[in-house]
Amino acid sequence: MADSQTDLDEAGFCIGESSGADLNADYGCADLPVRGSDKFFQFGFGIPTPLLLPLCPTIASQGGFGDLMTFCSVTSTCNGKPTVAMTMDADFLICMGENPAILKASGGFSSAFGAMGRLGLSRVSFGISAGGDFEYGFKIWDGDSIRRVFIAGNYFDSVEFSLDELRKQLRLPNWIELSGKQIRFVHIPTDFGFITDPKQLGTTVRNFAYGAELTGSFRLKFSDLTKGALPDSPLMELGSATMVFTTLKSDGNMPPTGFYLRMSSNTDTT
């Protein structure tokens, strides 16, 4: 693993092979929901946004820079089945989406990514894995108790977003930060390649799982109140909603075939 730091605060990059449990935490790599026991090649970086002026003129002119633009990609080929996952923050979306050269090359299509960053998305992540190397635990109510169900996914996407407009409507002070996160997971059998036979479609239907989770959180920005004397509080969960649909075989992890829905508040400590 190579890790380089420049003289600029927190700027740098990571590149090299690592287990999923030991991915670099600085640039969002560790937040990707990959299987902890598998090996992955990661490439991530953090660039202070003032250095991006030549690439991101619209952000510079509108004063939209954050502290650090971050990006990370993770790849693997386990048993000949490829996995690719990426995560990027809002500054990366805006910078790439509104770069004049990229706008011209994409026929203006890239502006949609810039719009996503300006509409309040703080981070976007997604991935696809032929070998099902993604894994995420969803808390569900199975009719008897709350349990965590781990789905080995072939596809996932997640977005983190600001709820600042909601904070303003609730007339909360600006040192309270509200945010949300949504993640979706899909599991399908991948041994068939393209489905060309009705029997294959039937097998897919009988070996399918989908999970989705929406979480609301808040943070107390003590650094704003104390002019940097105290750090901000950790991100604390307000509540969440989880949905899981599965036709997979029931075992110690997966519940029986069915649809499961659970909602909780921050008073739930299970």
Side-chain angles (χ1 to χ4, degrees):
M1 173 65 60
D3 193 9
S4 172
Q5 292 292 327
T6 72
D7 293 333
L8 297 168
D9 185 34
E10 297 183 357
F13 68 91
C14 64
I15 184 170
E17 190 177 64
S18 171
S19 68
D22 296 320
L23 293 176
N24 190 285
D26 292 336
Y27 315 120
C29 305
D31 294 330
L32 292 170
V34 296
R35 187 172 292 152
S37 59
D38 289 349
K39 292 289 186 180
F40 298 91
F41 183 84
Q42 62 178 331
F43 171 67
F45 58 79
I47 303 176
T49 48
L51 297 182
L52 300 169
L53 296 180
L55 291 173
C56 313
T58 58
I59 300 181
S61 63
Q62 297 172 20
F65 277 131
D67 297 326
L68 200 70
M69 185 187 80
T70 62
F71 171 86
C72 181
S73 68
V74 169
T75 59
S76 175
T77 304
C78 186
N79 297 323
K81 297 179 179 181
T83 293
V84 179
M86 298 181 185
T87 181
M88 58 206 75
D89 66 5
D91 283 331
F92 185 92
L93 287 170
I94 296 171
C95 182
M96 296 297 102
E98 298 181 358
N99 176 276
I102 297 177
L103 274 171
K104 184 177 181 180
S106 67
F109 177 76
S110 67
S111 62
F113 296 98
M116 290 167 62
R118 295 193 179 279
L119 287 174
L121 294 185
S122 56
R123 181 165 292 277
V124 174
S125 308
F126 56 91
I128 186 168
S129 173
D133 280 336
F134 303 131
E135 187 174 66
Y136 190 81
F138 294 90
K139 277 187 176 181
I140 66 167
W141 171 257
D142 65 3
D144 295 316
S145 62
I146 295 172
R147 59 188 290 189
R148 189 177 292 275
V149 172
F150 289 90
I151 294 178
N154 303 102
Y155 171 83
F156 87 92
D157 60 54
S158 72
V159 293
E160 299 176 25
F161 47 90
S162 169
L163 295 174
D164 194 56
E165 289 302 319
L166 175 61
R167 178 194 63 79
K168 293 176 182 178
Q169 292 179 14
L170 296 175
R171 298 183 179 180
L172 298 175
N174 57 14
W175 49 267
I176 295 179
E177 178 184 281
L178 299 180
S179 62
K181 179 179 180 179
Q182 179 186 16
I183 184 168
R184 300 184 300 177
F185 246 65
V186 177
H187 168 92
I188 58 173
T190 57
D191 295 336
F192 303 124
F194 292 103
I195 297 174
T196 58
D197 187 282
K199 294 181 180 179
Q200 295 175 348
L201 179 60
T203 301
T204 300
V205 171
R206 292 191 298 271
N207 292 273
F208 176 83
Y210 173 85
E213 182 179 79
L214 178 64
T215 305
S217 304
F218 75 98
R219 187 197 315 271
L220 303 179
K221 300 169 71 175
F222 293 130
S223 60
D224 290 356
L225 284 174
T226 62
K227 297 183 178 180
L230 293 175
D232 294 342
S233 75
L235 201 62
M236 295 173 280
E237 185 177 306
L238 284 168
S240 64
T242 305
M243 187 272 284
V244 169
F245 173 74
T246 175
T247 61
L248 296 174
K249 183 179 179 180
S250 177
D251 55 23
N253 171 51
M254 294 302 299
T257 295
F259 177 84
Y260 300 87
L261 180 66
R262 174 177 175 265
M263 301 184 70
S264 67
S265 68
N266 64 342
T267 59
D268 178 13
T269 58
T270 304

